[in-house]
Amino acid sequence: MPRKFFGTDGIRGLANTEPMTPATALRVGMAAGAYFTNGSHRHRVVIGKDTRLSGYMLEPALVAGFTAVGMDVFLVGPMPTPAVAMLTRALRCDLGVMISASHNPFHDNGIKLFGPDGYKLSDAAEREIEAMILGETQPRPAEAAKLGRAKRLDDADGRYIEFAKSTLPKGQKLSGLKIVVDCANGAAYKVAPAVLWELEAEVISIGVKPDGFNINKDCGSTQPKALQEAVVAHGADIGIALDGDADRLVMVDERGSVIDGDQLMAVIAESWQGQGRLAGKTLVATVMSNLGLERFVNGLGIELLRTKVGDRYVLEAMREQGFNLGGEQSGHIILSDFATTGDGLVAGLQVLAALCESGKKASEFCQRFAPYPQLLRNVRHAGGKPLELPAVQLAIDTAEKRLGKQGRVVIRPSGTEPLIRVMAEGEDQTLVETVVADIVTALEQAAA
């Protein structure tokens, strides 16, 4: 059954428009607080946010909701999503909340919820909370004497900085590395440069002047041009670009070339395999990760397990089967030895540690494989089930046969729009373009 509020990554929408209004945020606070109230102890929630203007509107509304049902609130201000997940566990809170729309523009916002274990909520938990938000079941307000309190957690930055540093081997430093870090004018604008500096790198920081409007604007992991230019201009060894809530990253080598999530996962997988740290000798990625990554890790004796698109599916597979490394081509990398969600900074530190150990330049070390030509096209349709039409199925079958073992075809409907996403990759660029065009034509004719 479709849900009204919760999507694939919490609740998200246009600021001050349903569901991103203070009225709904108040109900979310009451409902989530009531759901996680269990026992007679003082219940606690930690709330972090990124740097969007609308965070000032949503944060106090959530605080009102949580305190109304008797929960005490820790406010940590601008803080990466993975830091909120970490603090939820470290502070023994019953619940964690991140106010962010990740890599979206400033006018969007969202509410992500974490359980006491630091993991995002299950579908079942979200359904129960949503029922309370909609008024199907009513959260019980606390008695006047049992209302919650709210206070600022002054050492939150320091706690996360020390945590991030602790993910490197004892004594590991980044001395001698000149690093440009782009914090996307977002949640990591204080902590990311501090971590790198304390690890003795020479740090040039950009995207660290948030004004409420410039989060992710012409900067960050989704728009790395500013980082590319800064790395070259400063003669840096490498660059790191985070997104607005710092749960994903891309990197840039000393020549200004982008190192995407697939290449970063290859670096970490090879490094961990060599250290005997890669659980199950398996890397978990989605169907969108490049075939070149699969061939590269297979050559190292590492299996690539593919999931549906979405970090939640990657994490589900990791938890179910005990694997500790997974992620997406977009740079959302999950290292479950350290974190319960993607952490751009911590993933970047693993790459930097391996780079230091190699003694090589980033362009030599971080571009681990030659990507196969990959093409993605979106086809809009008027509804129905166009993928079930015989002409479309024939086009897909023909494409798969033409590519054979030297390529892949991935066809998937969008979860949010009437679109069919058509992706193919293979050794022959011309053949990839041809088979994608044939499938797109069949879909367009079906939609006509």
Side-chain angles (χ1 to χ4, degrees):
M1 181 178 176
R3 293 177 293 178
K4 182 176 179 181
F5 293 109
F6 286 95
T8 56
D9 195 18
I11 304 170
R12 190 174 292 189
L14 183 66
N16 218 22
T17 302
E18 288 296 344
M20 285 294 105
T21 64
T24 295
L26 172 68
R27 298 203 305 273
V28 170
M30 292 187 70
Y35 179 83
F36 281 97
T37 297
N38 181 22
S40 59
H41 66 280
R42 291 297 299 180
H43 291 78
R44 311 198 294 183
V45 55
V46 58
I47 301 178
K49 62 181 180 178
D50 62 24
T51 56
R52 296 162 208 272
L53 179 64
S54 56
Y56 291 103
M57 172 185 72
L58 296 171
E59 183 185 60
L62 284 163
V63 171
F66 285 119
T67 54
V69 293
M71 266 198 169
D72 292 333
V73 180
F74 290 119
L75 296 168
V76 300
M79 188 66 61
T81 289
V84 172
M86 181 274 291
L87 289 168
T88 301
R89 291 174 296 154
L91 296 169
R92 297 179 66 185
C93 288
D94 301 274
L95 177 64
V97 181
M98 180 65 182
I99 306 169
S100 175
S102 192
H103 55 278
N104 285 25
F106 88 93
H107 50 68
D108 292 330
N109 217 329
I111 300 172
K112 302 180 186 182
L113 302 177
F114 297 94
D117 57 1
Y119 287 100
K120 293 176 184 178
L121 304 189
S122 67
D123 289 343
E126 289 179 348
R127 278 193 292 270
E128 289 194 43
I129 292 170
E130 183 157 302
M132 284 190 274
I133 297 171
L134 292 169
E136 295 171 16
T137 55
Q138 293 292 331
R140 180 177 296 176
E143 299 172 13
K146 294 182 179 180
L147 293 172
R149 300 172 184 265
K151 69 176 181 178
R152 185 74 49 185
L153 188 67
D154 293 327
D155 65 342
D157 286 3
R159 284 173 178 257
Y160 178 68
I161 288 168
E162 289 305 312
F163 159 76
K165 289 161 54 181
S166 75
T167 62
L168 290 181
K170 190 173 182 179
Q172 172 79 57
K173 299 294 183 182
L174 302 178
S175 311
L177 278 185
K178 188 175 186 179
I179 302 170
V180 180
V181 59
D182 179 354
C183 299
N185 293 310
Y189 79 99
K190 291 182 181 178
V191 294
V195 168
L196 297 171
W197 185 83
E198 292 186 18
L199 289 170
E200 301 184 3
E202 180 180 349
V203 184
I204 297 102
S205 303
I206 63 175
V208 289
K209 296 181 179 179
D211 61 10
F213 304 96
N214 60 2
I215 186 170
N216 300 313
K217 185 177 180 182
D218 301 324
C219 59
S221 62
T222 54
Q223 299 186 62
K225 184 179 178 182
L227 178 64
Q228 293 173 277
E229 293 174 348
V231 166
V232 173
H234 289 279
D237 298 297
I238 197 165
I240 301 174
L242 304 171
D243 69 338
D245 69 335
D247 66 353
R248 69 171 74 185
L249 84 159
V250 299
M251 299 179 80
V252 168
D253 67 26
E254 81 284 356
R255 297 174 180 174
S257 298
V258 172
I259 309 164
D260 71 8
D262 282 349
Q263 298 285 359
L264 298 174
M265 288 190 286
V267 170
I268 299 171
E270 184 175 23
S271 174
W272 284 17
Q273 173 85 328
Q275 298 170 40
R277 293 174 56 192
L278 186 63
K281 297 182 178 179
T282 299
L283 167 64
V284 183
T286 76
V287 294
M288 298 305 291
S289 277
N290 195 275
L291 189 57
L293 171 64
E294 184 171 352
R295 298 287 168 84
F296 174 77
V297 298
N298 287 169
L300 299 172
I302 299 170
E303 180 184 351
L304 183 73
L305 174 63
R306 293 186 184 270
T307 71
K308 293 189 292 185
V309 173
D311 64 283
R312 69 183 299 162
Y313 301 112
V314 172
L315 183 58
E316 281 177 10
M318 292 173 65
R319 295 183 72 185
E320 286 172 2
Q321 302 184 52
F323 302 133
N324 62 353
L325 174 60
E328 297 183 281
Q329 193 178 62
S330 62
H332 198 126
I333 298 174
I334 303 170
L335 310 174
S336 61
D337 288 350
F338 309 123
T340 55
T341 186
D343 190 320
L345 180 58
V346 168
L349 291 178
Q350 295 299 312
V351 174
L352 293 173
L355 176 64
C356 286
E357 186 176 351
S358 75
K360 297 179 180 179
K361 292 184 176 181
S363 58
E364 301 170 19
F365 181 72
C366 294
Q367 305 287 2
R368 301 309 293 158
F369 61 89
Y372 277 53
Q374 189 178 78
L375 180 62
L376 173 66
R377 292 273 303 276
N378 294 325
V379 183
R380 190 167 293 275
H381 62 90
K385 298 180 179 179
L387 292 178
E388 296 182 5
L389 296 175
V392 174
Q393 291 184 347
L394 177 61
I396 295 171
D397 291 342
T398 301
E400 291 174 338
K401 289 174 182 175
R402 292 186 70 182
L403 288 170
K405 294 182 179 180
Q406 305 308 314
R408 294 188 306 135
V409 176
V410 179
I411 314 291
R412 62 186 184 92
S414 167
T416 57
E417 301 177 84
L419 294 176
I420 303 294
R421 306 194 192 280
V422 180
M423 191 278 281
E425 63 180 343
E427 295 179 350
D428 185 331
Q429 174 79 41
T430 302
L431 180 56
V432 168
E433 292 173 356
T434 299
V435 299
V436 168
D438 289 346
I439 296 171
V440 167
T441 298
L443 283 165
E444 289 175 340
Q445 290 174 348

